[in-house]
């Protein structure tokens, strides 16, 4: 019984850690590409998960200037980094037979996929708004 009670908070922490890692990967990709173009990027981290209620992002990469093509490349970098992270997670999942590691990887893969989809979708505040 105690084992079942511990599983829920453990899964919550695994998903929360996966979210933090995926957001970091996503924003780092924006930062790297913007820096490549010499646009002086900066990353702002928000507290909590307000994006669920009021459309505020957890993190945001801002930069100065940029052409339309540069904006598109920078916008694509974040979601594509999440997609790459997802594929690397799938590769790692297939290489391990440890059930606890597989559970962690499944959470990571799911969060990476959801991050890709939610950011590539063409809505205000998402990277997809710049792309389409």
């Amino acid at each position: 019984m105690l084992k079942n009670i511990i599983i829920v908070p453990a899964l919550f922490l695994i998903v929360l850690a996966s979210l933090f890692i995926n957001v970091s990967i996503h924003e780092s990709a924006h930062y790297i590409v913007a820096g490549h173009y010499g646009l002086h990027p900066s990353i702002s981290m928000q507290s909590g998960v307000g994006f669920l209620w009021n459309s505020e992002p957890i993190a945001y990469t801002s930069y100065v200037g940029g052409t339309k093509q540069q904006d598109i490349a920078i916008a694509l970098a974040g979601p594509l980094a999440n997609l790459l992270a997802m594929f690397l997670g799938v590769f790692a999942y297939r290489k391990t037979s440890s059930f606890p590691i597989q559970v962690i990887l499944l959470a990571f893969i799911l969060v990476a996929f959801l991050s890709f989809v939610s950011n590539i979708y063409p809505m205000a505040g998402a990277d997809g708004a710049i792309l389409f």
Side-chain angles (χ1 to χ4, degrees), residues 41-72:
S42 66
I43 298 176
S44 302
M45 298 296 283
Q46 306 291 330
S47 61
V49 288
F51 73 99
L52 294 174
W53 293 279
N54 61 8
S55 299
E56 291 289 327
I58 293 173
Y60 184 79
T61 303
S62 58
Y63 54 91
V64 178
T67 65
K68 181 67 174 167
Q69 289 79 17
Q70 290 171 335
D71 290 344
I72 289 170

Side-chain angles (χ1 to χ4, degrees), residues 26-27 30 55-57 59-60 118-119 121-130:
H26 180 96
E27 295 305 325
H30 288 313
S55 299
E56 291 289 327
Y60 184 79
S118 66
N119 279 286
Y121 190 77
M123 66 179 189
D127 298 321
I130 295 170

Side-chain angles (χ1 to χ4, degrees), residues 44-114:
S44 302
M45 298 296 283
Q46 306 291 330
S47 61
V49 288
F51 73 99
L52 294 174
W53 293 279
N54 61 8
S55 299
E56 291 289 327
I58 293 173
Y60 184 79
T61 303
S62 58
Y63 54 91
V64 178
T67 65
K68 181 67 174 167
Q69 289 79 17
Q70 290 171 335
D71 290 344
I72 289 170
I74 294 165
L76 270 175
L80 291 179
N82 289 123
L83 195 61
L84 176 61
M86 183 193 77
F87 285 126
L88 291 174
V90 169
F91 177 76
Y93 177 87
R94 293 175 56 112
K95 292 293 183 184
T96 187
S97 59
S98 168
F99 181 71
I101 300 298
Q102 287 178 332
V103 169
I104 291 168
L105 287 169
L106 281 174
F108 179 81
I109 291 164
L110 178 63
V111 171
F113 175 72
L114 292 174

